[in-house]
């Protein structure tokens, strides 16, 4: 599982899942929302099927751009 921070407000769970699926099998992806609203908290989590995929994703995607913002990707 990885933590994805500094997400653009327009990033949806579907966008997150599609973005990371090129590097591995995504088991689940969620963008955290402010309770009672559709607004993003600016971070989310993505779960992969193996530790190797987690390592590859952290090294490949940390400090890359998604929807015009540089994201942070760390092991969750």
């Amino acid at each position: 599982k990885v933590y994805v921070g500094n997400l653009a407000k327009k990033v949806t769970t579907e966008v997150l899942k599609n973005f990371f699926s090129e590097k591995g099998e995504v088991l689940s992806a969620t963008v955290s929302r402010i309770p009672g609203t559709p607004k993003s908290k600016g971070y989310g989590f993505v779960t992969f099927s193996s530790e190797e995929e987690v390592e590859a994703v952290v090294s490949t995607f940390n400090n890359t751009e998604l929807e015009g913002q540089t994201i942070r990707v760390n092991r969750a």
Side-chain angles (χ1 to χ4, degrees):
K1 189 176 203 175
V2 295
Y3 162 86
V4 186
N6 200 38
L7 289 176
K9 299 297 183 200
K10 62 184 174 182
V11 172
T12 63
T13 295
E14 195 62 31
V15 168
L16 199 61
K17 185 174 185 174
N18 290 339
F19 183 74
F20 284 101
S21 65
E22 70 183 60
K23 265 297 177 198
E25 184 184 345
V26 175
L27 300 180
S28 69
T30 55
V31 173
S32 294
R33 304 273 172 211
I34 296 169
T37 75
K39 293 181 181 175
S40 168
K41 288 184 176 179
Y43 67 90
F45 296 93
V46 183
T47 304
F48 293 90
S49 60
S50 74
E51 281 297 312
E52 292 79 19
E53 288 171 331
V54 168
E55 291 299 323
V57 164
V58 170
S59 62
T60 303
F61 291 112
N62 191 37
N63 294 318
T64 59
E65 205 171 275
L66 173 60
E67 299 289 337
Q69 277 191 214
T70 302
I71 58 172
R72 287 189 319 277
V73 182
N74 302 305
R75 178 179 289 281

